[in-house]
Amino acid sequence: VQLQASGGGLVQSGGSLSLSCAASGRTFTNWVMSWFRRAPGKEREFVSSITWNRGRPVYADSVKGRFIISRDYAKNTMYLQMNSLKPEDTAVYFCAARAAEITYDPLTYNHWGQGTLVTVSS
């Protein structure tokens, strides 16, 4: 399984960015795709997940109402639309995948993309 994240960049507070994660290497039936982030000096934390089959989303409380996760089943690509960005959203964002139910623990994921940096200026 290969995951390729892209779309990071620099944006002002209140702005928007969209991340993509292209997945390849197998079919992802019954898999879960997730976004995590690691802010400077902090541990990797859960951001959002989506079930590949039904597209059911789950969000961390810190991003609920601002971020939207989606996936294009035909393109094997997951997206994260980030709106109303705050300086505290500054982090390296990673996409991850696992062949089971949604979990919030990054240690339970065994497939990771390389990360893309999102910087939100105040």
Side-chain angles (χ1 to χ4, degrees):
V1 173
Q2 293 82 42
L3 302 175
Q4 181 73 36
S6 61
L10 173 64
V11 64
Q12 288 189 331
S13 181
S16 298
L17 274 178
S18 181
L19 305 182
S20 299
C21 178
S24 60
R26 60 159 295 135
T27 56
F28 294 96
T29 304
N30 297 320
W31 280 52
V32 163
M33 298 286 189
S34 299
W35 290 99
F36 289 82
R37 66 186 182 186
R38 185 175 63 231
K42 295 188 177 181
E43 297 292 321
R44 194 171 300 196
E45 67 171 354
F46 172 81
V47 176
S48 183
S49 282
I50 191 165
T51 58
W52 201 249
N53 288 5
R54 296 191 175 187
R56 179 176 70 89
V58 175
Y59 299 98
D61 287 344
S62 60
V63 306
K64 198 172 295 183
R66 299 188 297 123
F67 290 10
I68 302 171
I69 192 170
S70 62
R71 57 88 173 101
D72 186 320
Y73 198 91
K75 295 182 178 179
N76 270 5
T77 301
M78 173 178 65
Y79 304 95
L80 186 68
Q81 177 64 41
M82 304 184 294
N83 302 316
S84 302
L85 283 161
K86 305 174 182 180
E88 51 263 44
D89 294 317
T90 294
V92 177
Y93 284 71
F94 300 87
C95 55
R98 67 191 302 262
E101 69 279 2
I102 291 176
T103 71
Y104 303 157
D105 183 354
L107 296 178
T108 63
Y109 289 77
N110 51 359
H111 301 286
W112 290 87
Q114 84 286 5
T116 184
L117 176 63
V118 172
T119 303
V120 184
S121 63
S122 57

